[in-house]
């Protein structure tokens, strides 16, 4: 009677978007926990909060306070409010993390606990409350919280306070069920654009304008030209944005730094520099002010190039670490702690992870193998070089595609090591695939429904490899795992400079004046998603898992944190 | 001395391959006095054949064909008509021998240009038909299955009889063939409106003049959107896109790597091909197999617009003759430097697409399923002519 859902479908519920395989799990785990409904469990899994607690366990007082503190910090960032600090502290200590708020307060609280990650960006909450003044709202909120605190004086934490009809988050989690849509996929919405413009103006970050005719299917995405870098509009000397961030943004927008790992590492190094040069203004706490300082930098970087999933996770981590700095810590000490945190993050999540992944992957490479790789993935190149050093006999076929031609870089690195290589373009894939024994692919991010987001063309390679029965192995570190879900390459993608497609052959450039031709569009996609049935194995630093186990890993990570 | 220069010039024109018979013929005819009309015709004919062969050899390298297949087919047929008219032959058997010989040379000049061989086989079939008509005056010359089973041994029943009107009949039939060839593109584009509805998204790859005409014809009455995969490294998709835009068709150019990514929004895939093989498969420009697999995954119909002169009695099993390669400089240019000596680079031109991935063939005689191709082939070519 009931239909069996395939892995490519998603269930859209009021608790969020979930994968069908997780449905029963949510259900059974909810039954065992009388205190929470399954919806709140979903909200738990869906949202990427910095303060991830255990699954519906009772919070200690300290954790609650920490959570409240962070919420307040975020709210403060957005409203640009410099309220008296002692009042803030009192509010933080006293207020109950109430999930149910009246509608007027909901934007503020919705904004507060959701930190910046790859799929959410901060949008000015101030613009959403035109009617009331900020002081009035603050007073209102304080009064309400006092009354709620009084009413819930002796109650245990696990109770589900649902005075409002909206089934909002659990006592532990203050995330709203409906996540806010990130700005970079709302280009066709003029309201969102206006909001973004206002926010950028406030932060003194230049707004980058779109370029060229956009294919109608992608009108919701930005399309920038490499010839207009965002740094053109910045005055010299730069006062608002740190120079290393400006340099980083320029490197991103021109494509000098490309690749998920490279971008994250560059970002973390730039942040180290920022922290080094930072000095706390008087009457401010480092933990709160530094986070505020980082917001315009992040806006600027996302104007240069939309943030990747790995960068988003790194930023989340940094913000969490910064806000965990105890207030009595001296500035030098705090800076040293932060530098160490960043170093250890890079070391653990990227360098050691790649060592672990190589160890697992080398088991899968046998003598006489013909391995196919696509584009330039730092991880896959590392694996192949390690395997070559361990005296495995194999040869590599590098597949490349226009217009980025990243495969040439991979080719250079592998040939330098001494590995025997063959080089083809992606259109010759059907010709070369009968020779291939394994396909190794890198990933940009792994989505929660098992889809692999990677450079455009990866899904094609996986498709044809499946048709020829060649195993496809994806190598990905766990810090690239992402809570988002996506089923196609349209809703959330990146559009690169369309002029890259123009080529001159035999002295003729056919697309030279494509702007003048009314009905012609050029589409230069950057990413695409590969369905999990094309992928045979994912090699991560936690081990070798199937594609559909990504949400399990995410949960494990959340519990650890 | 008289025939010395003739030999040398023929040698240069031939390049590496040298044909003894032509040399001998030239020698023979230059011995006779020059003012005999027959001699002029012969040298003229052989000159034309030689120039055609060198054209074939030259246009083969790089960038698909510099001249379309339709043009090649027409030129081949015109040349065969000239051979029929001007060469010396006494009966049908001799004519077929001459044509077969020239045909072998032509196909050897450019093995990947299969239309040449196809036209030769068509003409041979015409000659057989005309001969059979002459000898038995039967009007229905179709080889029905019953006839195939019961006839058995009419194979080389020598074709030795002489008919006075054979030459005229053959030349007339070849003229009909030529008119058919002229009208193939129009015939195919006339069917466009039956297959394309409004607001469709159609995907194509590379550049095919047949598909271009097909889409332009449909665009006169309907509005739809076309996505063109550029088909690296030759990027013929760019030409196709600019040409389609001139007719105000909404076109988008995508790189080859994005084929699977956008396929979910495509309603139909319409492609051209270089050759239709005997099993219903295709030999098409590289990247077509990926396109076909992506279409199959999304259950999108794959329509192939191919005129009948592209149907070839070859099967895809001949590994060494199936693929054609061009200079790897297209893929990895010489500017890359030293790395070129340490790396193998491949640049195949064609792809094999198995018949299971194809939904429909649209040709000048209408629409057909791939499973029907074998039957069409038996109507066009005689089984004896499959091997020239």
């Amino acid at each position: 009677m009931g239909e069996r859902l395939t892995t490519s479908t998603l269930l859209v519920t009021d608790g969020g978007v979930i994968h069908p395989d997780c449905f029963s799990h949510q259900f059974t785990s909810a039954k065992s926990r009388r205190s929470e409904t399954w919806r709140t469990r979903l909200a738990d899994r869906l949202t990427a909060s910095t303060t991830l607690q255990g699954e519906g366990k009772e919070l200690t007082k300290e954790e609650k306070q920490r959570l409240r503190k962070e919420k307040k910090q975020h709210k403060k960032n957005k409203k640009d409010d410099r309220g008296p600090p002692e009042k803030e502290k009192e509010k933080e200590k006293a207020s109950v993390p109430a999930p149910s708020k009246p509608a007027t307060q909901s934007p503020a609280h919705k904004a507060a606990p959701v930190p910046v990650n790859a799929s959410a960006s901060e949008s000015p909450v101030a613009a959403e409350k035109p009617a009331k003044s900020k002081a009035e709202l603050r007073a209102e909120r304080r009064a309400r919280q006092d009354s709620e605190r009084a009413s819930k004086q002796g109650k245990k934490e696990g109770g589900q306070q649902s005075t409002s009809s909206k089934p909002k988050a659990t006592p532990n989690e203050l995330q709203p069920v409906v996540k806010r849509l990130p700005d970079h996929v709302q280009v066709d919405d003029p309201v969102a654009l206006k909001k973004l413009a206002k926010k950028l103006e406030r932060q003194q970050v230049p707004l980058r304008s779109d370029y060229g005719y956009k294919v109608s299917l992608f009108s919701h995405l930005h399309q920038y030209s490499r010839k207009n870098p965002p740094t053109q509009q910045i005055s010299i000397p730069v006062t608002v944005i740190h120079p290393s961030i400006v340099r980083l943004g320029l490197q991103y927008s021109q494509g000098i730094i490309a690749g998920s790992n490279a971008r994250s590492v560059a970002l973390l190094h730039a942040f180290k520099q920022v922290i080094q040069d930072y000095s706390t203004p008087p009457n401010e706490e480092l933990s709160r002010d530094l986070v505020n300082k980082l917001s315009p930098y992040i806006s600027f970087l996302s104007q240069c190039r939309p943030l990747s999933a790995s960068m988003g996770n790194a930023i989340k981590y940094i913000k969490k670490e910064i806000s965990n700095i105890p207030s009595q810590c001296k500035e030098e000490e705090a800076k040293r702690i932060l530098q160490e945190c960043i170093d250890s993050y890079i070391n653990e999540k990227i360098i050691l992870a790649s060592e672990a992944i190589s160890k697992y992957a080398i088991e899968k490479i046998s003598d006489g193998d013909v391995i196919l790789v696509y584009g330039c993935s730092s991880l896959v190149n590392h694996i192949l070089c390690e395997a070559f050093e361990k005296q495995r006999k194999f040869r590599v076929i590098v597949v490349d595609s226009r217009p980025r031609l990243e495969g040439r870089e991979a080719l250079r690195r592998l040939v330098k090591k001494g590995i025997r290589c063959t080089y083809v373009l992606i259109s010759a894939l059907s010709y070369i695939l009968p020779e291939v024994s394994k396909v190794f692919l890198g990933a940009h991010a792994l989505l929660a429904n098992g889809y692999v987001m990677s450079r455009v063309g990866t899904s094609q390679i996986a498709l044809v490899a499946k048709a020829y029965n060649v195993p496809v192995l994806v190598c990905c570190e766990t810090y690239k795992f992402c809570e988002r879900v996506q089923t196609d390459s349209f809703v959330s993608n990146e559009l690169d400079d369309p002029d890259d497609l123009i080529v001159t052959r035999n002295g003729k450039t056919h697309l030279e004046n494509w702007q003048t031709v009314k009905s012609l569009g050029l589409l230069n996609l950057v990413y695409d998603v590969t369905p999990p049935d094309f992928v045979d194995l994912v090699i991560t630093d936690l081990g070798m898992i199937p594609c559909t186990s990504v949400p399990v890993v995410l949960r494990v990570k959340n519990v650890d944190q | 001395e008289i025939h010395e220069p003739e030999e040398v010039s023929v040698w240069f024109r031939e390049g590496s391959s040298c044909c003894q018979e032509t040399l001998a013929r030239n020698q023979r005819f230059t011995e006779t006095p020059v003012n005999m009309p027959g001699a002029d015709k012969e040298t003229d004919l052989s000159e034309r054949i030689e120039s055609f062969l060198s054209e074939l050899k030259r246009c083969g390298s790089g960038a698909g064909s510099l001249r379309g297949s339709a043009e090649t087919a027409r030129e081949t047929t015109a040349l065969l008509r000239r051979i029929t008219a001007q060469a010396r032959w006494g009966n049908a058997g001799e004519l077929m021998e001459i044509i077969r010989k020239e045909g072998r040379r032509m196909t050897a000049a450019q093995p990947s240009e299969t239309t040449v061989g196809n036209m030769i086989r068509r003409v041979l079939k015409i000659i057989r038909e005309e001969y059979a008509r002459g000898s038995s005056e039967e009007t229905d010359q179709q080889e029905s299955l019953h006839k195939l089973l019961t006839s058995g041994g009419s194979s080389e029943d020598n074709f030795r009889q002489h008919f006075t009107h054979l030459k005229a009949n053959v030349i007339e039939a070849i003229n009909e063939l030529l008119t058919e060839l002229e009208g193939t593109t129009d015939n195919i584009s006339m069917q466009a409106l039956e297959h394309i509805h409004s607001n469709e998204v159609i995907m194509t790859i590379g550049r095919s003049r047949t598909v271009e005409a097909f889409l332009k014809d449909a665009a006169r009455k309907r509005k739809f959107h076309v996505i063109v995969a550029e088909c690296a490294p030759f990027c013929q998709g760019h030409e196709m896109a600019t040409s389609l835009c001139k007719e105000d068709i909404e076109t988008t150019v995508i790189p080859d790597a994005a084929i699977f990514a956008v396929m979910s929004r495509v309603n139909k895939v319409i492609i051209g091909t270089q050759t239709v093989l005997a099993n219903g498969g295709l030999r098409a420009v590289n990247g077509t197999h990926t396109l076909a697999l992506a279409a199959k995954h999304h259950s999108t119909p794959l329509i192939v617009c191919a005129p009948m002169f592209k149907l070839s009695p070859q099967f895809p099993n001949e590994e060494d003759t199936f693929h054609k390669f061009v200079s790897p400089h297209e893929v990895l240019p010489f500017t890359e430097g030293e790395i070129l000596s340490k790396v193998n680079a491949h640049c195949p031109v064609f792809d094999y697409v198995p018949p299971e991935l194809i939904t429909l063939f649209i040709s000048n005689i209408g629409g057909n399923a791939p499973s029907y191709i074998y039957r069409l082939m038996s109507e066009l070519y005689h089984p004896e002519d499959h091997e020239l």
Side-chain angles (χ1 to χ4, degrees):
Chain A
M1 185 69 165
E3 274 181 45
R4 178 90 175 84
L5 294 167
T6 62
T7 45
S8 61
T9 56
L10 292 176
L11 291 176
V12 181
T13 68
D14 56 346
V17 182
I18 56 166
H19 192 273
D21 289 345
C22 307
F23 182 80
S24 55
H25 178 80
Q26 300 294 349
F27 225 59
T28 50
S29 68
K31 281 189 193 152
S32 61
R33 284 189 210 87
R34 208 67 62 68
S35 51
E36 299 174 79
T37 67
W38 63 271
R39 264 177 261 147
T40 62
R41 290 293 309 109
L42 277 175
D44 191 10
R45 188 185 78 77
L46 274 178
T47 54
S49 151
T50 52
T51 64
L52 299 166
Q53 283 88 31
E55 314 302 339
K57 301 212 178 46
E58 304 194 347
L59 284 179
T60 64
K61 206 88 170 107
E62 293 80 25
E63 282 181 70
K64 261 198 298 173
Q65 278 182 2
R66 192 165 48 99
L67 175 66
R68 263 176 261 139
K69 221 196 245 183
E70 282 175 49
K71 207 176 46 133
K72 296 296 181 248
Q73 272 169 15
H74 281 293
K75 249 197 315 184
K76 219 176 101 177
N77 295 344
K78 281 161 189 92
K79 290 167 67 181
D80 242 350
D81 230 313
R82 303 293 169 105
E86 57 279 3
K87 254 197 181 162
E88 287 291 320
K89 281 210 180 51
E90 179 195 313
K91 245 199 312 187
E92 285 163 30
K93 285 205 190 69
S95 74
V96 175
S100 59
K101 303 269 186 296
T104 50
Q105 287 303 313
S106 50
H109 284 282
K110 221 190 275 192
V114 176
V116 171
N117 60 11
S119 29
S121 63
E122 305 169 318
S123 85
V125 172
E128 292 178 14
K129 292 202 280 265
K132 300 187 182 173
S133 82
K134 293 173 186 164
E136 278 178 26
L137 289 168
R138 227 187 317 134
E140 237 179 70
R141 192 173 59 245
R142 215 172 300 131
R144 203 174 298 111
Q145 282 168 359
D146 286 345
S147 63
E148 276 172 351
R149 192 187 346 127
S151 69
K152 285 155 192 158
Q153 199 53 40
K155 215 166 176 186
K156 281 286 193 183
E157 244 334 280
Q160 168 70 17
Q161 298 100 347
S162 48
T163 53
S164 84
S165 53
K166 261 196 246 180
K168 283 270 189 92
T170 68
N172 325 325
E173 294 287 308
L174 298 143
Q175 325 310 341
V177 166
V178 178
K179 274 168 61 175
R180 214 184 24 253
L181 206 53
D183 278 323
H184 71 271
V185 295
Q186 283 189 310
V187 179
D188 55 349
D189 182 12
V191 172
L193 277 182
K194 241 187 353 173
K195 256 196 279 176
L196 176 68
K198 269 204 214 151
K199 170 186 153 208
L200 289 180
E201 207 180 340
R202 201 171 24 91
Q203 293 176 333
Q204 293 177 297
V205 170
L207 177 69
R208 208 172 173 194
S209 51
D210 283 357
Y211 166 77
Y213 168 71
K214 255 191 285 189
V215 179
S216 55
L217 282 170
F218 291 96
S219 56
H220 60 290
L221 297 174
H222 283 295
Q223 180 171 281
Y224 298 130
S225 162
R226 206 159 291 138
K227 295 196 202 64
N228 304 338
T231 48
Q232 273 176 352
Q233 297 142 19
I234 295 184
S235 59
I236 297 170
V238 187
T239 44
V240 176
I241 305 176
H242 193 277
S244 61
I245 300 279
V246 174
R247 185 178 64 171
L248 186 67
L250 198 56
Q251 285 171 329
Y252 282 166
S253 70
Q254 301 299 104
I256 298 172
I257 294 186
S260 196
N261 280 344
R263 283 165 76 190
S264 307
V265 169
L267 177 74
L268 290 168
H269 281 303
F271 275 359
K272 267 171 68 175
Q273 189 67 35
V274 166
I275 291 173
Q276 189 64 39
D277 296 340
Y278 171 76
S279 54
T280 323
N283 294 338
E284 283 296 336
E285 272 198 29
L286 181 136
S287 57
R288 251 174 275 128
D289 188 58
L290 187 52
V291 178
N292 290 351
K293 276 274 184 330
L294 291 181
S295 303
Y297 300 165
I298 295 167
S299 307
F300 173 71
L301 289 177
S302 55
Q303 282 292 299
C304 294
R305 197 178 156 187
L307 298 180
S308 65
S310 50
M311 284 165 71
N313 288 344
I315 289 174
K316 250 194 295 181
Y317 174 78
I318 289 185
K319 286 197 169 175
K320 181 167 83 106
E321 288 302 313
I322 292 176
S323 39
N324 283 348
I325 299 273
S327 44
Q328 57 272 30
C329 204
K330 276 219 274 277
E331 187 173 315
E332 290 307 316
E333 182 64 22
K335 283 194 199 175
R336 194 187 55 80
I337 294 178
L338 287 175
Q339 307 268 20
E340 272 174 21
C341 281
I342 292 181
D343 281 333
S344 75
Y345 187 82
I346 294 180
N347 201 30
E348 261 177 44
K349 305 280 184 185
I350 300 177
I351 298 179
L352 289 180
S354 77
E355 297 288 326
I357 293 177
S358 321
K359 210 163 52 79
Y360 289 122
I362 287 175
E363 292 168 30
K364 293 288 175 196
I365 300 180
S366 25
D367 284 345
D369 261 347
V370 179
I371 297 179
L372 187 128
V373 299
Y374 176 62
C376 187
S377 165
S378 51
L379 187 54
V380 173
N381 291 344
H382 183 253
I383 291 174
L384 293 176
C385 295
E386 288 274 301
F388 189 71
E389 272 170 27
K390 294 216 169 54
Q391 312 299 327
R392 293 273 200 276
K393 308 269 178 296
F394 58 92
R395 69 183 174 92
V396 174
I397 298 181
V398 178
V399 176
D400 201 9
S401 76
R402 281 196 74 238
R404 281 176 169 243
L405 293 173
E406 289 172 331
R408 292 195 187 165
E409 180 56 39
L411 192 68
R412 274 180 223 122
R413 291 187 201 171
L414 295 175
V415 168
K416 200 157 152 199
K417 250 334 187 145
I419 303 177
R420 259 193 317 151
C421 293
T422 307
Y423 179 82
V424 288
L425 286 182
I426 198 170
S427 37
L429 192 59
S430 320
Y431 165 72
I432 205 87
L433 217 74
E435 300 178 13
V436 174
S437 60
K438 287 188 183 72
V439 176
F440 273 80
L441 299 171
H444 170 88
L446 240 62
L447 304 175
N449 58 337
Y451 278 64
V452 179
M453 183 174 191
S454 183
R455 189 65 84 215
V456 67
T458 311
S459 54
Q460 227 165 284
I461 301 220
L463 167 80
V464 184
K466 182 102 184 162
Y468 281 88
N469 273 324
V470 174
V472 173
L473 291 86
V474 171
C475 309
C476 183
E477 299 95 336
T478 48
Y479 88 105
K480 289 183 187 163
F481 284 20
C482 175
E483 296 274 358
R484 266 182 32 224
V485 287
Q486 208 177 317
T487 50
D488 60 32
S489 324
F490 290 87
V491 289
S492 178
N493 207 327
E494 199 185 314
L495 294 178
D496 209 358
D497 192 354
D499 290 335
D500 288 343
L501 288 181
I502 302 177
V503 72
T504 305
R505 279 188 57 87
N506 298 336
K508 283 199 286 205
T509 313
H510 288 281
L511 294 179
E512 200 158 18
N513 301 318
W514 71 277
Q515 302 267 34
T516 56
V517 181
K518 194 167 46 89
S519 32
L520 183 60
L522 301 184
L523 185 61
N524 191 356
L525 285 177
V526 181
Y527 299 118
D528 72 5
V529 281
T530 310
D533 25 355
F534 292 161
V535 176
D536 294 304
L537 189 65
V538 176
I539 307 180
T540 68
D541 38 331
L542 294 177
M544 301 197 253
I545 59 172
C547 240
T548 45
S549 300
V550 169
V552 175
V553 170
L554 282 169
R555 163 172 295 164
V556 163
K557 262 197 338 169
N558 294 349
V559 168
D560 284 345
Q561 284 169 2
Chain B
E1 263 69 59
I2 308 170
H3 47 265
E4 211 45 66
E6 197 62 45
E7 263 180 70
V8 169
S9 57
V10 165
W11 193 275
F12 276 145
R13 250 184 272 131
E14 278 279 11
S16 54
S17 68
C18 162
C19 191
Q20 291 301 319
E21 297 101 76
T22 321
L23 267 181
R25 200 184 306 135
N26 281 342
Q27 277 179 329
R28 192 170 6 114
F29 285 110
T30 45
E31 279 167 6
T32 63
V34 188
N35 50 12
M36 270 190 71
D40 275 343
K41 266 206 227 156
E42 286 288 344
T43 49
D44 181 46
L45 178 65
S46 49
E47 268 180 36
R48 282 177 190 268
I49 296 177
E50 297 315 319
S51 67
F52 183 66
L53 284 176
S54 49
E55 274 285 323
L56 277 179
K57 273 190 216 157
R58 237 185 301 123
C59 83
S61 66
S65 44
L66 293 177
R67 35 206 256 144
S69 316
E71 232 182 284
T72 315
R74 241 172 296 159
E75 287 200 22
T76 316
T77 318
L79 189 62
L80 290 173
R81 181 177 60 184
R82 191 176 284 273
I83 290 176
T84 316
Q86 293 178 356
R88 292 186 164 201
W89 50 276
N91 52 42
E94 277 178 30
L95 176 60
M96 282 167 55
E97 250 326 292
I98 293 174
I99 289 186
R100 254 199 219 111
K101 200 163 45 181
E102 295 302 325
R104 272 191 290 255
R105 285 175 67 204
M106 287 187 212
T107 46
Q110 190 60 248
S112 66
E113 194 61 58
T114 44
T115 44
V116 173
N118 296 345
M119 287 299 105
I120 290 165
R121 293 182 186 97
R122 289 287 288 269
V123 168
L124 287 172
K125 173 124 186 174
I126 286 175
I127 296 171
R128 280 173 205 268
E129 280 179 356
E130 292 302 325
Y131 179 82
R133 185 177 311 199
S135 67
S136 54
E137 292 301 333
E138 276 174 36
T139 47
D140 178 19
Q141 291 303 317
Q142 290 284 14
E143 297 238 11
S144 67
L145 277 173
H146 178 80
K147 271 223 185 108
L148 281 170
L149 275 173
T150 55
S151 60
S154 78
S155 49
E156 269 311 310
D157 94 83
N158 32 48
F159 289 100
R160 296 283 162 220
Q161 281 182 292
H162 177 76
F163 294 113
T164 41
H165 299 295
L166 187 62
K167 192 180 210 167
N169 288 349
V170 168
I171 291 185
E172 196 186 311
I174 296 182
N175 282 337
E176 278 175 26
L177 179 59
L178 271 173
T179 28
E180 186 193 314
L181 286 179
E182 310 270 319
T184 47
T185 316
D186 289 331
N187 280 336
I188 292 178
S189 9
M190 274 191 328
Q191 304 172 49
L193 283 173
E194 293 170 26
H195 297 282
I196 300 179
H197 61 77
S198 327
N199 284 333
E200 265 201 297
V201 179
I202 294 180
M203 187 153 183
T204 184
I205 186 170
R207 179 170 195 211
S208 161
R209 286 168 192 77
T210 318
V211 174
E212 211 179 301
F214 192 81
L215 292 175
K216 284 186 180 174
D217 198 87
R220 285 190 292 121
K221 300 265 177 61
R222 307 233 160 108
K223 273 250 155 286
F224 52 91
H225 191 112
V226 176
I227 299 181
V228 181
E230 67 179 5
C231 190
F234 308 115
C235 294
Q236 293 194 312
H238 295 186
E239 272 182 67
M240 177 86 158
T242 41
S243 154
L244 287 176
C245 281
K246 294 206 179 77
E247 306 289 322
D248 273 341
I249 302 178
E250 286 275 329
T251 318
T252 305
V253 177
I254 61 168
D256 296 332
I259 286 178
F260 185 76
V262 304
M263 182 57 81
S264 51
R265 297 292 177 275
V266 173
N267 299 121
K268 286 194 173 73
V269 180
I270 301 183
I271 56 174
T273 175
Q274 201 260 354
T275 309
V276 179
L277 299 166
N279 63 342
L282 299 181
R283 181 159 76 185
V285 75
N286 66 340
T288 313
H289 189 210
T290 310
L291 185 64
L293 282 172
K296 185 87 181 188
H297 181 263
H298 291 275
S299 298
T300 311
L302 178 69
I303 298 177
V304 180
C305 291
M308 271 294 116
F309 63 79
K310 287 192 178 169
L311 178 56
S312 161
Q314 283 176 338
F315 280 90
N317 307 326
E318 299 106 49
E319 278 304 318
D320 41 348
T321 50
F322 188 84
H323 279 290
K324 176 176 136 178
F325 298 90
V326 292
S327 163
H329 152 78
E330 311 277 351
V331 164
L332 201 56
F334 296 123
T335 47
E336 289 294 312
E338 281 220 6
I339 201 173
L340 282 171
S341 55
K342 306 187 184 121
V343 161
N344 297 331
H346 296 285
C347 189
V349 179
F350 298 121
D351 239 356
Y352 170 62
V353 182
E356 302 83 59
L357 301 175
I358 302 170
T359 319
L360 185 69
F361 279 99
I362 295 182
S363 66
N364 45 317
I365 57 179
N368 299 108
S371 48
Y372 191 64
I373 293 292
Y374 81 98
R375 190 80 184 115
L376 290 175
M377 217 177 51
S378 70
E379 289 177 11
L380 290 178
Y381 312 123
H382 195 271
E384 309 253 315
D385 299 330
H386 289 338
E387 281 293 321
L388 274 183

